[in-house]
Each structure stands twice: as C-alpha cells, then as structure tokens.
Amino acid sequence: MSLRRSARLGPIPTIKTPLLQSAAPSEATRVQRSAVAKPRKAPTKSNKSDKKPTKTKPKSGTSYWSPEPAVTEKQETDNQPSATNPTIFRPQTPPPLDRPVDPHRTNATLITPHGSTVNAYPAHVEDVSPSKTGLPRPMATTGTLLEKAASHLIATDPRIATVIEQNPCPLFSPAGLAEEIDPFNSLTSSIIGQQVSGAAAKSIRNKFLTLFDLPDTVAPDGHRHAKFPTPDQVAKCDIPTLRTAGLSQRKAEYIQGLAEKFASGELGARMLARATDEELFEKLIAVRGLGKWSVEMFAMFALKRIDVFSTGDLGVQRGCAAFVGRDVSKLKGKGGGKFKYMTEKDMLELAAKFAPSLFMWYMWRIEDVDVAVLGG
C-alpha cells in the first residue's frame, strides 16, 4: 500500500509567537558589553566591529532546553532599557505565575491532605541551585515552558509547526500550570472511571463523596463543590461501605489500598513533585489498580509532566501514523491487532527524536482526539 502524507501537514504557516532566541549572545550584544568593560578605539575602515552581525536561523534539531539562569545583580542591570539595549529580555520582577519548572519534574502545584501546597522547585529562580534543592537546575519557568516546548518540537521537525499553531495547549500555559492538583483525588477518580462510561463514573464518584458527609468547599468562582476525603478517612472506611457507592469489590480494594499508601507516606505530594520520570512510573505502576496507561495520563494531565508518551493509546498511535504520512482511514479497517496503525517500535523511535517534549499532546490533536476527557 502506498503511503500518503496527511493533509494536516501541508504548507506551514508562520508561527505568530516568535521562537526563543539562542542562549548564546549575539555579536552585537558582545560588542555592547565589551564597550562597558573597556574603552574602544576610534573606528576605522578596517575595523571588523563595524560590520553588521549576520543573523542565522536555528538548525534543525536545535534544543531549546537549557537551564534557567539565576538572576544576578549584573543581569538585572543589563535588563534595564537604554538607547543601546531597548529590549528587556527578562522582567526585573517576574509575574506571580512565573515559577521555575522542568520537563522531567512535576510542573503542577500539588495539594497535600492538610491543604498546604507543594512544588518541585522554590518560587524564585535565585533559590533553585542544585546545592539548595537537590534537583537539577530547572530548564524553564511557567511563563516560558510552553514556548520552549513548542520551539523544541519545531526545531526537531518543522512540519509540526502547523499542528502547534492550530491547536493551542492550555494545559501547559501559565494559567494551566497555576491549577492546583490533589493527587489522591485525581488517582482515586481515575480508578473510579476505569471501564465505565463518563456518566456512570460521575454518579459513582458523587455517591463515594456522600459516604464521608464532609462540608462543601467554595471555589474562587463561587461554585460549591463536595469536599474530597483525605487518605486517612478513606483508609478507615471498610470495603462493604465503599461498595455502597457503586464500586466493584476490586475497585473498592484498589481505592482503599491507594489511600493506605498516601496515609502511610509511601506516596505523597512531595515525592510526586520531585521524583524523576522513571521513579514516578516505577512507584505508581506498583500500586494495585494503576496500570501503565493510567499512570501516563495522570503524569501528563494532573502532574503536568512534559515528557510523557503512551504507545498504548489508540489516539496517539493514529496521530503518529498520520504524522509520518500514512492513510489512517484505510488502516482503520485492516487487521494488525493493538498496533495496526503503527508498531510500538516505530512509535518509540519517532517520539525519541522529539524528547523531552509535548509530542504526545500534538499527536492527539492531529486526529482531533478529545483530550479533555483524560484530565480526570
């Protein structure tokens, strides 16, 4: 069967948001800084510094992931506008949401059972040195993460620019990253929703909440919501009582077991925020009731982790096939089992070129998969 390129990957329009500038200073910037350091001689015809710097486009495969520099006193001075430096590359006072984040750590703000919040990194860039945090220096902030991720994808393969421009990614926008996540709530809801319809999952979850008779919480928008029980409260609830909410015997056991792990401290917001991708998956897949796909969805949609790729998701598989030019509509009726659109090996090789990235998100968008239902 001959392959064809997806119509979605046709002519690439210009991206409205400019790509990130290279971390290396331009020749003009170096000249400006050297002028401050020592006097310059009067220019002559042969003076090479009079030549205008040549602008070059980033080469394909250029990585835009580089550690966020700490703001020093000199950098703050350099950031002030002047006749020779009219552009401010970094605001002197970051906006409230502009906190350090990293592709291989949790970027969401997590809520503990007691109502406090946890982030992988401190709120200010100057406090994130590895000696202070015990973590690698973060590679972005909440204000730059999405732009860096998009720039990295486009530099790796410019064809994806069309998909990025046509499909905004609110999940990793500054507003999306400001959302506070209760990991116990999210994982419990994930177990409740397994192998049932959305309507059934909502009904069971509501009945589950009524078991604990907790006061409602009022959201910032004024809406009232049933308060979610703490891990301690769920762990102390016996299986027969949990089953009255409509849970199967096995799901009731899964949820009680999950609650016990949170209550004992084996799982917790701090660990989920700071763990590497490998540590996170190893820890969560070991929990009864959480399969690989469930953990992958939790990692991306709840924890807001960038470098997640699910070969077991049919929508991702279709998107990858379309991206490399295969006719997905013809492959749909063919055999081939679980990986009829694209083999797992081919999917992993394709995704590896883009890592770490939001490649999975945009593969969903190619085939117009409704990712909203995956957020839990």
Side-chain angles (χ1 to χ4, degrees), residues 5 9 157 159-160 319-325 350 354 359 363 366:
R5 187 172 304 283
L9 301 176
D157 190 332
R159 294 178 302 160
I160 205 169
C320 288
F323 184 71
V324 299
L350 177 64
F354 294 91
F359 185 64
M363 291 303 97
I366 287 179

Side-chain angles (χ1 to χ4, degrees), residues 40-291:
R40 293 176 58 188
K41 295 181 180 180
T44 63
K45 292 183 179 180
S46 60
N47 194 337
K48 294 182 179 180
S49 64
D50 291 338
K51 296 181 180 180
K52 294 182 179 180
T54 302
K55 295 182 179 180
T56 58
K57 295 181 179 180
K59 296 179 180 179
S60 178
T62 300
S63 174
Y64 286 89
W65 295 119
S66 58
E68 287 289 308
V71 179
T72 64
E73 183 177 350
K74 182 180 186 303
Q75 285 175 317
E76 290 180 352
T77 302
D78 289 344
N79 282 338
Q80 303 309 308
S82 66
T84 57
N85 183 21
T87 304
I88 302 177
F89 293 97
R90 178 186 296 278
Q92 187 174 7
T93 304
L97 297 180
D98 202 24
R99 55 181 172 80
V101 292
D102 189 82
H104 295 295
R105 294 298 186 278
T106 290
N107 298 313
T109 295
L110 303 185
I111 306 174
T112 70
H114 304 292
S116 59
T117 58
V118 175
N119 292 112
Y121 289 95
H124 302 291
V125 174
E126 56 267 28
D127 297 328
V128 297
S129 65
S131 61
K132 292 182 179 180
T133 65
L135 298 174
R137 186 172 291 280
M139 295 187 180
T141 68
T142 51
T144 64
L145 181 65
L146 184 55
E147 185 183 2
K148 280 194 171 188
S151 298
H152 173 72
L153 287 169
I154 295 169
T156 304
D157 190 332
R159 294 178 302 160
I160 205 169
T162 301
V163 186
I164 292 173
E165 184 179 63
Q166 295 178 358
N167 297 280
C169 183
L171 188 69
F172 288 90
S173 68
L177 294 173
E179 181 185 9
E180 295 182 344
I181 299 295
D182 178 347
F184 176 64
N185 180 339
S186 182
L187 287 170
T188 301
S189 298
S190 174
I191 293 174
I192 290 174
Q194 290 173 2
Q195 298 179 331
V196 296
S197 68
K202 184 177 180 180
S203 175
I204 294 170
R205 187 178 185 277
N206 289 338
K207 292 176 183 177
F208 171 80
L209 295 178
T210 61
L211 295 178
F212 301 92
D213 194 26
L214 299 173
D216 290 349
T217 58
V218 181
D221 59 7
H223 287 84
R224 302 181 71 86
H225 300 277
K227 186 177 181 180
F228 204 83
T230 65
D232 278 328
Q233 291 169 327
V234 177
K236 292 174 182 177
C237 188
D238 58 48
I239 298 296
T241 301
L242 290 175
R243 291 203 61 188
T244 62
L247 294 167
S248 66
Q249 174 75 20
R250 184 161 293 182
K251 281 189 179 182
E253 293 173 359
Y254 290 163
I255 289 172
Q256 189 183 66
L258 177 69
E260 289 171 350
K261 288 185 180 295
F262 271 92
S264 68
E266 184 177 343
L267 294 177
R270 179 176 170 80
M271 184 280 291
L272 294 173
R274 293 170 57 89
T276 65
D277 295 328
E278 293 76 14
E279 291 167 346
L280 179 80
F281 276 76
E282 181 180 357
K283 200 78 172 178
L284 291 180
I285 291 176
V287 177
R288 288 184 67 209
L290 296 179

